[in-house]
Amino acid sequence: MSGHTDMVLVDENGIRIDGRRVDEKRPIKIEAGVLKNASGSCYLEIGKNKVLCAVYGPRECRPRHLQDPTKAVIQVKYNMEAYSVTDRKRPGTDRRSVEISKLIAEALECVVQTELYPRASIDVYIEILQANAGTRCAGLTAASVALADAGIPMRDIVPAIACGKADGNVLLDLNKEEDNYGQADVPIAIVPSTDEIVLLQMDGNMTREELDHGLDMAIAAAHEVYEIQRDALKRRYASISKKEGESDE
Amino acid sequence: MEKRNARRTREIVVPGDVLADASDYRAGENAYELDGKIRANVMGTKTFTDNTVGVTAMGGFYMPVTGDTVIGIINDVGPSNWMLDINAPYPAPLHVSEVPWKVEFGDTGRFLTVGDVVLLKVLMVDESKKIQVTMKDSGLRKIEGGQLVEIEHSKISRVIGKSGSMIQMLKNMSDCRIFVGQNGRIWIDGDEENTEVVAEAIRIIEAESRSANLTDRVREFIEKKLPQSEEDDEEDFE
């Protein structure tokens, strides 16, 4: 958003530097249940982003003062590894990771049925192993798969994707160069069953028309991400029960 | 549990999936209604019961229900109660008035200490999910000896089997005492070799819980491992 470059981000044919069209998202790979010691887990790749997510709980909430007697609290920890970016990221919590953790927790609270587990806490750990723009979307996408894998009751799975603007074009799912040298970045997360928006931010400038167009694109793409999430969860189930058969309980 | 309807293909669903139209069915277990559609809450298999449609969850935590028999491990000893881990999201206190012994105030440690394993019954779960457990019922006691096996609580119904067929078969063939807790813990006591075989059989049940004819295959497994054993009709209840 801030930098300037001589790079042509979108050429005259509407093709971006990584060969995508303006309305094309990066390839996504999701695998659920990758960590044995967590209640639920997920590994996700979107383009060059690599995200690992683990869910623990519901369990007794610690520290005690965070407990809510009416519902469970969702505690998210978003963390970027020191090696996740080209120049070393100083490890530990910073202002950005606190913001993203809060954002993701609030988005997840919209779908998770926290009222079923009063006084408990659901802990979500998101580790960014490799970053290439759009990690908050990737983190939220992975977190909702990990929550479903943990068997936590939720209304729906949350897919997230970004849209934005670079070189005057409205783009879907910005990569690092487009994010750094573009004009706007708009991450968005929805509840697919109702098209409710549970996360929306905008960094940069877009006109009203551009934003509307970008959101349309992002919501359509989020539904595609949702299908990939569902598929990952179903594959996880199929691998647990290799032999499909009738049950006699 | 209610009798389930004629078998349909067991469809795998994930949270948010549409199960049925709200005009045809009512939302059952792990399901909710939204805009005239019944949707799933958790990942699992779609299950029809009479006129309701729900989801049989495939994982998740054990949620205590009043009347469940569970196996707990003592975590902490207080002057008038013990704190137990029963595999639920919350710790379960066992008050001195709920044990079969007369315990003086502050004398709790002499009866049960940290690490002891006990058979319990869930006495009460209130709306804020505060749990109370009791040992005042027939057969509830402190466990000594034997082996404790822990499996996913959703697989417990398979270990028991249709009207207890699986558990009865395990007991008869191995000559072991077996106690199944609803929270996914199973205690086996008996001859060392037999105990090992039963533990292994339970692991098989857990791993292949969704496949057909499990009872027969487990029987074969035990016959192979313990050739001298044969299933007698003798009923040995706990």
Side-chain angles (χ1 to χ4, degrees), chain B residues 18-34:
Chain B
V18 174
L19 299 174
D21 239 39
S23 52
D24 304 332
Y25 290 96
R26 286 191 302 126
E29 188 187 22
N30 297 320
Y32 70 99
E33 194 185 324
L34 177 83

Side-chain angles (χ1 to χ4, degrees), chain A residues 89-155:
Chain A
K89 191 230 168 236
R90 196 163 171 271
T93 317
D94 52 13
R95 210 168 68 165
R96 180 175 170 276
S97 71
V98 172
E99 175 202 315
I100 296 178
S101 302
K102 182 173 183 294
L103 221 60
I104 293 178
E106 283 171 2
L108 292 173
E109 261 169 26
C110 295
V111 290
V112 175
Q113 294 187 311
T114 51
E115 67 280 3
L116 294 177
Y117 302 100
R119 300 183 295 117
S121 120
I122 298 166
D123 300 338
V124 180
Y125 298 94
I126 300 167
E127 297 290 331
I128 308 296
L129 307 179
Q130 184 171 291
N132 193 261
T135 55
R136 71 189 68 197
C137 290
L140 178 53
T141 308
S144 58
V145 173
L147 280 170
D149 179 45
I152 292 169
M154 51 206 284
R155 286 196 291 128

